[in-house]
Amino acid sequence: GCVVSGLEHEWLFDTCDLTDQVNGMNAELRNGAQCHVGTGIDMDGVDDYVALDVTDQEFGGSMSIAANVFLIVGDEGHQYISDFYDGGQDDEIRLFVNHNQNSKLHFRIYVGNGNENAVETTGGELSTGTWQQVIATVEGTTMSIYLDGELISQRTDGHEPTMMRRANHFLGRGPFGNYFKGSFSDFRLWSCALSAEEIASLQYDDEDGDEDSDEDEDGVTGSCSCEAVVYPDCAGNSVSGDTACGT
């Protein structure tokens, strides 16, 4: 199925390994973004972001984008989860949360230049203070967004992005800023549209089949708190104090 054979790129940031597990491409932390074992990459919402070294790769056609994210603050305006584009809004593949619309998720695809050939599907709400999995898929004219395994938005009159190399592949920012304030524990790309059944299966831990939770190996639920922000993965890992809280 798509979930195995179509996986093109996978970054497991909660281990602080910035190397693509599939093709060996690197992720680069920029402007002070930090990685901490157990939580992943922390971004301050001011200018931190991640650049993916995949500029020699073509993206387009049928595809799926997945990210596990922890949103700290829902400020006004947009905060980008991922954005691939050639210049400005040229041939852009955009996944973001819009706090002007109650933290609604948007998956938008541009073909060519500007807004003329832009289509999007939008829905749901990205909560603050909790880990959530966001997956966007496109196949033919069907564009979908899933939140924690549940379909929250879909349109059937969209279009696939152009298959091409793009100059910019960013996590946590868009072409005009719009920085994400929170954390990423992983990011994955597929060259096919995951089915609803495959997306549901991704809610389970790849190693032991258990649902993801904030329990440590002894079954004890734990968290750490820093400036009223709770990181559910702090218990049981090797980091502590300010480091665990991403400062």
Side-chain angles (χ1 to χ4, degrees):
C2 175
V3 71
V4 175
S5 63
L7 184 62
E8 295 286 338
H9 300 281
E10 179 180 41
W11 287 271
L12 303 178
F13 297 131
D14 59 348
T15 66
C16 287
D17 185 347
L18 302 183
T19 303
D20 174 9
Q21 302 298 300
V22 180
N23 287 313
M25 304 293 183
N26 291 326
E28 179 185 348
L29 307 184
R30 293 188 176 177
N31 296 342
Q34 299 181 35
C35 190
H36 302 109
V37 174
T39 56
I41 294 176
D42 301 333
M43 304 181 192
D44 63 7
V46 177
D47 60 358
D48 294 357
Y49 68 101
V50 176
L52 305 178
D53 182 20
V54 293
T55 54
D56 62 342
Q57 304 287 300
E58 289 190 344
F59 292 103
S62 176
M63 66 185 304
S64 301
I65 301 169
N68 279 306
V69 297
F70 186 99
L71 179 66
I72 292 178
V73 176
D75 293 327
E76 291 186 359
H78 300 169
Q79 290 189 37
Y80 279 64
I81 296 172
S82 65
D83 200 17
F84 304 159
Y85 59 96
D86 204 40
Q89 296 173 333
D90 295 355
D91 290 293
E92 188 177 7
I93 307 169
R94 176 188 294 188
L95 180 60
F96 66 97
V97 55
N98 186 349
H99 299 300
N100 290 333
Q101 297 181 355
N102 298 316
S103 300
K104 187 179 292 185
L105 286 160
H106 292 245
F107 178 39
R108 185 179 299 172
I109 296 173
Y110 295 78
V111 172
N113 302 327
N115 290 311
E116 228 172 87
N117 295 310
V119 293
E120 75 171 8
T121 185
T122 179
E125 179 182 347
L126 190 65
S127 301
T128 58
T130 185
W131 286 102
Q132 294 185 278
Q133 183 190 68
V134 180
I135 298 181
T137 70
V138 57
E139 184 173 41
T141 60
T142 301
M143 300 169 60
S144 307
I145 304 175
Y146 294 80
L147 184 62
D148 290 334
E150 299 292 329
L151 179 66
I152 59 168
S153 180
Q154 187 175 76
R155 69 180 296 166
T156 57
D157 61 344
H159 54 63
E160 296 178 347
T162 303
M163 180 66 72
M164 60 179 289
R165 291 182 176 88
R166 292 170 174 81
N168 305 289
H169 304 82
F170 296 146
L171 307 183
R173 67 157 293 174
F176 310 112
N178 303 110
Y179 296 94
F180 187 86
K181 186 167 185 176
S183 302
F184 281 65
S185 67
D186 62 57
F187 186 78
R188 303 175 188 179
L189 292 169
W190 288 264
S191 59
C192 48
L194 295 167
S195 68
E197 292 76 18
E198 288 173 318
I199 289 171
S201 75
L202 294 177
Q203 299 304 300
Y204 294 86
D205 185 88
D206 292 335
E207 293 181 359
D208 58 20
D210 294 331
E211 287 191 41
D212 293 337
S213 72
D214 56 354
E215 292 184 350
D216 64 17
E217 293 179 357
D218 297 322
V220 178
T221 300
S223 64
C224 74
S225 180
C226 178
E227 298 178 349
V229 177
V230 176
Y231 287 87
D233 291 334
C234 290
N237 61 45
S238 60
V239 296
S240 61
D242 290 343
T243 303
C245 292
T247 60

